[in-house]
Each structure stands twice: as structure tokens, then as C-alpha cells.
């Protein structure tokens, strides 16, 4: 139940954004990247994403600056979309060619989630691997995000209704 409350708060806060894309159709933006420097942090978040929509491409845009003694190659990024293509994108800093300390950026696309999404909880995770098991230290830029492109991503109003429904259900559970 605690996870459901987090989902409702996230949807109500509008951290999932939908917008019209230029040449690639509709865009579903997933932006749960934290603000400011994080030390020994882990994010493992579940949320309600669109179901029954077609993903044609996924894009990761991110800038990460290491902190403390964290090594960029140990960063792990995971995005899960139920039923779509492989169902997940799992990346390490090493996969992105990031090694050592400093500021690193990526702007790349994936086909791993291409396909039709199914109902279920999506996943967004950031953590570290290696000596600092499950923790990372660093800062993501404000523009860091995952973008999912497709022809039939729901209109912004439809996701707003979903968010309001989740908030109403969470309120009923607390009473």
C-alpha cells in the first residue's frame, strides 16, 4: 500500500509529462531523476504508465556528475515497461562508455521497448554496483529524462484523469 501512495503522489505532482512530439508522433516523458547532489542514494520506483500503446523508440538524455569517490562505470539505470518489446532497458555507466570520475552525458536511442505496452507497474531505478553495492553518488542535470515515442501515446488529458483516479483511490484507502 505504501508504494501505491508514492505512485499517487508522483502522478499528482506531474513528474510524468506528456507532450506532442515533432516528427516522431507523441512523446511520453519519464523524469524521476533527482534534483541536486545525491550521496549514497538508490531509487527504485514503480508507477502507472500507459498501457495498450505502441512504443516505436526510446531515448535517454542524461548528464551525470560523479560525487564523493563514486566511479561512473558503476552507475545503473533501469527502465521497465510491461509487455513492450524486451520489457526493460538496463544500462550501466560502462555500457555508456563512462569510466572514472567527472561529468558524463548521453543522448541515445533504443529499440528494446518497441511494441505494445501491457497493464502493470512500470519501473524506474537508479543505483550503483560494485564495491558500493546498490548506492550511487552524484548529480543528474535538470534535463535528464527518458522519452518514449509512438503514434498512439495517450493525450495529456487522459493521463491527468488517471492521476486523479489514483489520488482519489489513495485518499479512500487512508480513511
Amino acid at each position: 500500500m505504501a508504494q501505491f501512495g508514492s505512485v499517487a503522489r508522483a502522478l499528482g505532482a506531474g513528474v510524468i509529462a506528456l507532450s506532442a512530439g515533432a516528427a516522431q508522433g507523441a512523446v511520453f516523458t519519464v523524469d524521476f531523476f533527482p534534483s541536486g547532489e545525491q550521496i549514497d542514494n538508490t531509487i527504485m520506483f514503480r508507477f502507472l504508465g500507459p498501457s495498450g500503446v505502441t512504443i516505436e523508440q526510446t531515448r535517454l538524455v542524461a548528464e551525470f556528475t560523479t560525487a564523493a569517490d563514486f566511479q561512473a562505470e558503476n552507475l545503473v539505470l533501469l527502465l521497465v515497461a510491461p509487455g513492450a518489446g524486451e520489457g526493460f532497458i538496463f544500462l550501466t555507466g560502462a555500457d555508456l562508455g563512462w569510466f572514472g570520475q567527472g561529468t558524463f552525458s548521453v543522448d541515445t536511442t533504443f529499440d528494446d521497448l518497441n511494441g505494445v505496452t501491457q497493464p502493470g507497474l512500470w519501473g524506474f531505478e537508479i543505483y550503483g554496483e560494485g564495491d558500493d553495492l546498490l548506492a550511487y553518488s552524484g548529480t543528474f542535470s535538470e534535463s535528464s529524462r527518458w522519452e518514449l515515442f509512438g503514434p498512439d501515446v495517450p493525450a495529456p488529458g487522459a493521463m491527468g484523469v488517471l492521476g486523479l483516479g489514483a489520488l482519489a483511490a489513495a485518499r479512500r484507502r487512508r480513511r
Side-chain angles (χ1 to χ4, degrees):
M1 266 202 277
Q3 281 185 340
F4 185 79
S6 296
V7 169
R9 282 191 297 280
L11 287 170
V15 291
I16 298 175
L18 292 168
S19 61
Q24 295 177 314
V27 180
F28 178 69
T29 302
V30 180
D31 179 7
F32 296 117
F33 289 90
S35 297
E37 184 176 85
Q38 307 293 311
I39 303 296
D40 294 329
N41 194 32
T42 299
I43 297 173
M44 294 183 176
F45 189 69
R46 303 294 176 258
F47 62 99
L48 298 173
S51 64
V53 299
T54 302
I55 297 173
E56 294 178 336
Q57 188 174 61
T58 304
R59 177 180 178 207
L60 172 63
V61 177
E63 182 177 285
F64 178 71
T65 303
T66 60
D69 60 353
F70 187 76
Q71 302 295 307
E73 63 268 23
N74 294 329
L75 183 70
V76 176
L77 301 170
L78 174 65
L79 180 64
V80 177
E86 298 292 321
F88 64 91
I89 297 174
F90 177 92
L91 293 170
T92 65
D95 294 334
L96 298 171
W98 299 356
F99 293 93
Q101 295 184 312
T103 298
F104 304 88
S105 62
V106 62
D107 185 341
T108 191
T109 59
F110 302 88
D111 294 328
D112 302 58
L113 297 181
N114 289 4
V116 179
T117 61
Q118 301 299 314
L121 290 177
W122 289 49
F124 177 91
E125 299 184 10
I126 304 172
Y127 56 93
E129 63 180 6
D131 295 338
D132 296 328
L133 185 62
L134 296 181
Y136 77 93
S137 295
T139 306
F140 285 94
S141 69
E142 292 295 320
S143 62
S144 295
R145 66 196 179 276
W146 288 97
E147 296 175 334
L148 296 101
F149 299 92
D152 58 356
V153 175
M159 283 304 288
V161 169
L162 174 63
L164 291 175
L167 286 173
R171 282 195 148 151
R172 274 186 252 140
R173 287 182 180 263
R174 287 187 202 149
R175 292 182 185 179

